Amino acid sequence: MPNGDVMNCFEIAKFISEIVLTVVAISISIIALFQTKTQIKLSNKQLLFDRRLEKYTIIESVLSEYNCIDFLEIDYSNKDDLDAFAKIVLESLFDCIILKDAQWTIDKLTDLTDRDISNVFLSQCSKLSVLSKEITIIFNNEESKIVSKFINYYEMLILNFYHYIRFINDGSKEEDNCIKRIDKINNELKILYKNIEDNDIMNLLLTETKL
């Protein structure tokens, strides 16, 4: 075979080898990219599951604590009942997972000179606002809005009890307004709680968590 033909065959073989290597490299890159995307998707799904499960557990705890105080059948429109049970109710509301770490502050709320106590108490309450927003973001069903609203009212009830215990002591008109707000908020909570129970909304959230 002439030298020129040998060289041409060598060049052709080299060219084909380069093409094959390029195709193999591209194929490996595509497979790696696909595996990475699959892994990210699985990771995101796991993170969403973990986040939903965490929030579900917190919501369940909040509902349980509200059910406990509702069982007491306190008349929130009655000042004597509020004076007798305000601290007990607040301690029960704070007995849920998300607030329990600050339950100790309730004994010190009447000390108006201690701003740190107030700051700790209120910063814990703000977690409920965050939770309320997260619920409608991580759960896709419409019923989650009812749970979100319940959490909002739960926080409002706590804040109004906080106001009543910490600042209302003189039998003023503001005290009467605070009592009316507490009673109104609790009535809204009763309606929302019944809605959640009657429509088995927590089970809907749990079903979505498992997906």
Side-chain angles (χ1 to χ4, degrees):
M1 180 181 293
N3 288 337
D5 291 340
V6 172
M7 289 299 295
N8 287 338
C9 289
F10 178 77
E11 291 296 331
I12 291 171
K14 182 180 178 183
F15 178 70
I16 292 173
S17 296
E18 290 175 351
I19 291 176
V20 170
L21 289 174
T22 301
V23 170
V24 170
I26 292 173
S27 298
I28 292 173
S29 297
I30 291 172
I31 293 170
L33 180 61
F34 177 77
Q35 289 176 333
T36 300
K37 289 181 68 176
T38 302
Q39 188 61 44
I40 291 172
K41 186 176 180 180
L42 290 173
S43 178
N44 288 341
K45 190 173 182 179
Q46 181 63 45
L47 287 172
L48 181 59
F49 170 82
D50 292 343
R51 192 175 174 191
R52 282 175 173 169
L53 182 60
E54 178 192 12
K55 303 312 173 189
Y56 174 88
T57 305
I58 293 172
I59 295 164
E60 193 174 44
S61 175
V62 170
L63 289 169
S64 176
E65 294 311 318
Y66 179 75
N67 184 49
C68 287
I69 64 165
D70 190 46
F71 184 75
L72 296 174
E73 296 185 350
I74 300 167
D75 182 0
Y76 291 105
S77 65
N78 184 289
K79 183 183 183 308
D80 291 337
D81 269 17
L82 277 188
D83 288 344
F85 293 104
K87 184 181 174 184
I88 294 172
V89 170
L90 204 51
E91 286 177 344
S92 294
L93 292 172
F94 257 67
D95 207 30
C96 59
I97 294 171
I98 196 171
L99 302 176
K100 198 174 182 67
D101 288 345
Q103 199 176 38
W104 61 272
T105 61
I106 295 169
D107 285 332
K108 303 176 183 296
L109 287 181
T110 52
D111 183 1
L112 301 182
T113 63
D114 195 336
R115 293 184 178 180
D116 289 339
I117 292 298
S118 179
N119 289 337
V120 172
F121 183 94
L122 294 175
S123 66
Q124 288 295 307
C125 288
S126 67
K127 291 181 179 180
L128 291 168
S129 295
V130 176
L131 174 63
S132 177
K133 292 181 177 66
E134 283 185 314
I135 289 169
T136 56
I137 293 172
I138 65 175
F139 292 102
N140 296 321
N141 57 68
E142 283 296 311
E143 289 81 3
S144 65
K145 293 178 182 178
I146 298 171
V147 179
S148 174
K149 190 174 181 180
F150 179 89
I151 299 298
N152 271 331
Y153 273 96
Y154 192 90
E155 181 186 16
M156 288 167 60
L157 186 63
I158 287 175
L159 292 176
N160 276 276
F161 266 111
Y162 163 84
H163 186 68
Y164 187 82
I165 290 174
R166 193 165 168 84
F167 300 109
I168 306 300
N169 298 298
D170 58 3
S172 65
K173 184 177 180 180
E174 180 54 34
E175 182 178 53
D176 291 337
N177 289 336
C178 191
I179 292 172
K180 289 177 182 177
R181 286 196 301 271
I182 288 173
D183 188 46
K184 183 178 179 180
I185 292 166
N186 184 62
N187 287 334
E188 289 291 336
L189 276 168
K190 279 178 177 289
I191 294 169
L192 289 166
Y193 183 84
K194 188 174 186 305
N195 196 339
I196 292 169
E197 288 289 298
D198 290 350
N199 293 288
D200 204 13
I201 291 176
M202 288 302 290
N203 190 48
L204 292 175
L205 296 189
L206 183 60
T207 300
E208 188 173 344
T209 298
K210 293 176 182 176
L211 295 179

